């Protein structure tokens, strides 16, 4: 897919600013920050962070990308520029996609005569694996042409394939005129496209293996002595965490480098086009990568032990249950996007019972307006009761006397609670209780069920004390019951269950 470009007026204005900055700059070779440089898509001239935190870079254009393809820093990211031998990334990609590593290639006269060749000789036979290694490690122009001739039969046919593959990858600012990268009209790329191409190639294990090679041997042949070839990528020998990359140099391109490095779970790709000299491209790339590892770091955003709020209990709104995060949430964050904030969406109230781990809401984790993740908030403990009144039980020794009953504060252990299965509440009270009644006497239970599975039991106890009737009072009660019996009236109060 191609990238969406800003409106023409915006592009023209940006181009004007860049042109003005180039005219005013004392020398493009000096390390500098430009107003049009961007941090996470925000121009330095129009945002904070500004020049104080931006890296000073010596290059015409460049970019630093996170592993997910996001540009953390960029300069003239879509500006076409000569690409030199970084071309060979596409050459190797197509060869690895379309040829067998053990296929044998005979070097042609045409391949052997390319300028700045490594010295491969007509009739020499090498495998695709060897040619890919020579092209990427030693930047062999003759190996690049040999790979193209294998895939398409001719250099021109292979160049057409290169451009077709570029279109498939959405590289809108890229066009190839040869498979090796020597300066030629119509041969260019952009920092954004080169990074995208590299990310695609790095998905191939063989490509990853080859670009990590520090040196290889070229066998002796006829009048060519055996040679040990060091990788043109000096970062392989100096930069901690380097995975690989590709260099390039021509008169038009100046010095180019694309380099990928990884530390722990953070992977970065730096692209430099148009560096003033070879040393600058490596120093600049290392500076970019260091800057990226400083500002893009894994962070733990939530832990299950962290309390995020509390939810009131509908049975007693003055009481609440603490809420915590359901699990740990860790992400790699770019700190220049700003602090991480939280937006809580917890339930207003919760009916009983509540079980530890029961979802009670969500927490959106954000940087600015961007939602990083939505974490689940859960109850931090079991709450099966808050001593709520559940009804009344008749006192057998009286006619109209009842004793108020409440749920006890304790409950049995929770048994295999499933958050997404509805709960059913059953209150089972004794038909009556004999006086005297002391406060806290067990007179029944509340049973919570999911289907037929009992998940919790809460004892029901008397909330008040009731004394036994005296002798005279007992006599009156017996007489009254006799009278009521004659007329069919109730002889004792009914039990009452309060709905929850």
């Amino acid at each position: 897919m191609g990238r969406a470009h800003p409106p023409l007026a915006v592009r023209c204005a940006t181009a004007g600013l860049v042109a003005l900055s180039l005219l005013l700059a004392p020398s493009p070779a000096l390390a500098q920050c430009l107003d049009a440089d961007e941090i996470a898509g925000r121009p330095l001239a129009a945002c904070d962070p500004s020049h104080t935190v931006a890296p000073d870079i010596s290059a015409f254009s460049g970019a630093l990308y996170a592993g997910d393809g996001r540009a953390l820093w960029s300069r003239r990211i879509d500006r076409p520029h000569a690409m030199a031998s970084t071309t060979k990334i596409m050459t190797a990609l197509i060869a690895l996609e379309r040829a067998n590593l053990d296929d044998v290639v005979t070097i042609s006269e045409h391949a052997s005569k390319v300028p700045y060749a490594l010295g491969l000789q007509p009739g020499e036979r090498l495998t695709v694996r060897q040619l890919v290694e020579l092209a990427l490690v030693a930047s062999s122009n003759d190996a690049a042409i040999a790979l193209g001739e294998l895939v398409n039969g001719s250099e021109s046919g292979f160049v057409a394939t290169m451009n077709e593959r570029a279109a498939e990858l959405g590289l809108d600012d890229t066009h190839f005129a040869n498979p090796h990268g020597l300066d030629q009209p119509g041969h260019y790329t952009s920092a954004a496209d080169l990074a995208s191409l590299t990310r695609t190639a790095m998905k191939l294990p063989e490509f990853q293996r080859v670009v990590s090679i520090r040196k290889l041997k070229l066998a002796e042949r006829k009048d060519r002595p055996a040679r040990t070839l060091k990788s043109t990528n000096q970062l392989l020998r100096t930069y901690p965490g380097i995975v690989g990359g590709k260099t390039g140099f021509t008169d038009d391109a100046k010095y180019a480098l694309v380099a990928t490095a990884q530390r722990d779970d953070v992977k970065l790709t730096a692209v430099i086009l148009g560096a003033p000299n070879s040393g600058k491209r490596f120093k600049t790339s290392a500076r970019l990568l260091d800057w990226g590892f400083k500002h893009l770091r894994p962070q733990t955003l939530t832990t299950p032990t962290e309390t995020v709020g509390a939810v009131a209990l509908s049975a007693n709104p003055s009481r609440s249950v603490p809420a915590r995060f359901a699990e740990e949430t860790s992400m790699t964050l770019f700190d220049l996007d700003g602090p991480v904030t939280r937006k809580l969406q917890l339930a207003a109230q919760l009916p009983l019972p509540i079980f530890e781990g029961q979802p009670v809401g969500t927490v959106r984790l954000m940087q600015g307006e961007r939602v990083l993740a939505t974490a689940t908030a859960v109850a931090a403990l079991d709450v099966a009761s808050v001593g709520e009144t559940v009804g009344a039980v008749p006192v057998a020794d009286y006619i109209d006397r009842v004793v108020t009953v409440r749920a006890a504060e304790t409950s049995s252990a929770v048994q295999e609670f499933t958050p997404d299965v509805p709960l059913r509440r059953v209150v089972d009270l004794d038909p009556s209780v004999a006086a005297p009644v002391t406060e806290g006497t067990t007179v029944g239970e509340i049973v919570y069920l999911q289907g037929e599975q009992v998940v919790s039991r809460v004892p029901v106890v008397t909330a008040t004390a009731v004394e036994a009737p005296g002798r005279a009072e007992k006599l009156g009660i017996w007489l009254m019951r006799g009278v009521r019996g004659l007329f069919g009236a109730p002889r004792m109060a009914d039990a009452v269950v309060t709905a929850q």
Side-chain angles (χ1 to χ4, degrees):
M1 293 177 60
R3 290 176 303 282
H5 293 283
L8 180 60
V10 175
R11 282 184 281 156
C12 290
T14 302
L17 288 172
V18 173
L20 181 60
S21 68
L22 289 174
L23 289 173
L24 297 178
S27 170
L30 296 177
Q32 57 187 320
C33 294
L34 303 180
D35 284 349
D37 289 354
E38 296 184 355
I39 292 178
R42 302 183 298 272
L44 299 189
C47 72
D48 186 30
S50 63
H51 296 260
T52 57
V53 296
D56 293 337
I57 297 303
S58 301
F60 171 80
S61 65
L64 179 71
Y65 281 87
D68 61 1
R70 185 186 183 204
L72 305 180
W73 174 91
S74 61
R75 172 181 296 172
R76 303 186 184 104
I77 197 170
D78 295 321
R79 186 78 67 86
H81 193 272
M83 65 181 105
S85 285
T86 60
T87 301
K88 296 183 178 81
I89 296 173
M90 177 64 87
T91 301
L93 172 66
I94 295 174
L96 293 173
E97 289 176 337
R98 305 194 181 195
N100 189 303
L101 289 174
D102 294 321
D103 287 346
V104 176
V105 182
T106 301
I107 304 301
S108 68
E109 188 79 24
H110 174 66
S112 69
K113 290 183 178 180
V114 63
Y116 306 103
L118 187 63
L120 302 184
Q121 299 175 1
E124 187 173 358
R125 293 165 61 82
L126 296 101
T127 64
V128 169
R129 180 183 289 102
Q130 290 173 309
L131 290 174
V132 169
E133 290 175 349
L134 291 173
L136 293 177
V137 178
S139 206
S140 167
N141 290 342
D142 31 7
I145 290 183
L147 288 170
E149 290 176 335
L150 169 70
V151 172
N152 283 95
S154 68
E155 181 180 354
S156 60
F158 185 70
V159 169
T161 297
M162 295 172 77
N163 287 312
E164 290 170 3
R165 190 71 178 98
E168 291 172 1
L169 295 173
L171 309 183
D172 297 335
D173 301 311
T174 297
H175 189 270
F176 295 99
N178 60 63
H180 42 69
L182 293 178
D183 290 333
Q184 191 171 337
H187 194 82
Y188 55 83
T189 190
S190 66
D193 281 1
L194 188 54
S196 179
L197 173 61
T198 300
R199 285 194 301 273
T200 299
M202 290 293 279
K203 294 176 183 177
L204 302 180
E206 182 64 11
F207 185 92
Q208 286 191 47
R209 182 192 71 83
V210 174
V211 294
S212 69
I213 295 174
R214 296 186 180 186
K215 60 183 179 180
L216 50 81
K217 293 186 180 296
L218 180 65
E220 176 184 4
R221 190 175 191 275
K222 296 182 179 178
D223 57 347
R224 183 189 70 205
R227 296 168 58 189
T228 297
L229 306 170
K230 290 185 178 180
S231 171
T232 56
N233 182 7
Q234 292 182 13
L235 294 186
L236 287 175
R237 297 180 285 277
T238 61
Y239 192 80
I242 192 70
V243 174
K246 184 69 190 79
T247 62
F249 167 73
T250 64
D251 290 341
D252 290 346
K254 302 305 179 188
Y255 291 85
L257 174 66
V258 55
T260 297
Q262 182 167 352
R263 295 178 185 173
D264 298 323
D265 293 329
V266 178
K267 179 177 283 189
L268 298 171
T269 296
V271 179
I272 294 297
L273 291 173
N277 58 58
S278 182
K280 284 287 186 182
R281 65 177 162 184
F282 296 117
K283 290 180 181 178
T284 291
S285 295
R287 185 181 302 134
L288 259 184
L289 291 169
D290 285 344
W291 182 85
F293 285 123
K294 174 183 177 182
H295 292 289
L296 186 70
R297 301 188 304 273
Q299 297 185 36
T300 299
L301 302 182
T302 71
T303 64
T305 59
E306 182 181 359
T307 300
V308 295
V311 181
L313 307 178
S314 56
N316 183 350
S318 66
R319 298 275 297 274
S320 62
V321 60
R324 61 171 175 81
F325 287 111
E327 59 188 3
E328 181 176 298
T329 303
S330 296
M331 299 183 69
T332 299
L333 296 183
F334 188 50
D335 60 9
L336 297 180
D337 283 333
V340 176
T341 59
R342 296 173 176 178
K343 287 191 176 181
L344 276 65
Q345 292 180 311
L346 302 181
Q349 291 186 341
L350 289 172
L352 296 176
I354 299 167
F355 300 98
E356 183 179 0
Q358 173 183 336
V360 296
T362 59
V363 183
R364 285 192 298 168
L365 307 171
M366 307 181 70
Q367 268 187 309
E369 297 301 314
R370 190 161 63 103
V371 178
L372 302 173
T374 300
T376 300
V378 298
L381 47 81
D382 296 329
V383 182
S385 168
V386 288
E388 70 277 16
T389 298
V390 296
V393 173
V395 181
D397 303 89
Y398 293 91
I399 294 177
D400 298 319
R401 182 77 62 91
V402 295
V403 61
T404 302
V405 295
R406 62 176 174 80
E409 293 283 353
T410 59
S411 64
S412 65
V414 177
Q415 304 293 323
E416 298 182 5
F417 171 70
T418 306
D420 56 352
V421 177
L423 275 169
R424 184 162 52 94
R425 176 177 180 263
V426 176
V427 180
D428 183 16
L429 301 180
D430 292 345
S432 65
V433 61
V437 180
T438 59
E439 184 179 352
T441 301
T442 300
V443 292
E445 67 177 356
I446 303 171
V447 182
Y448 291 100
L449 304 101
Q450 288 183 316
E452 298 303 316
Q453 175 70 41
V454 175
V455 294
S456 184
R457 297 178 185 272
V458 180
V460 174
V461 298
T462 54
T464 58
V466 178
E467 294 181 356
R471 290 183 179 179
E473 194 175 10
K474 280 185 179 180
L475 180 59
I477 292 170
W478 291 340
L479 290 174
M480 183 61 71
R481 281 182 173 166
V483 172
R484 288 193 174 193
L486 292 174
F487 292 98
R491 297 186 180 191
M492 192 172 65
D494 292 329
V496 177
V497 176
T498 301
Q500 187 181 38

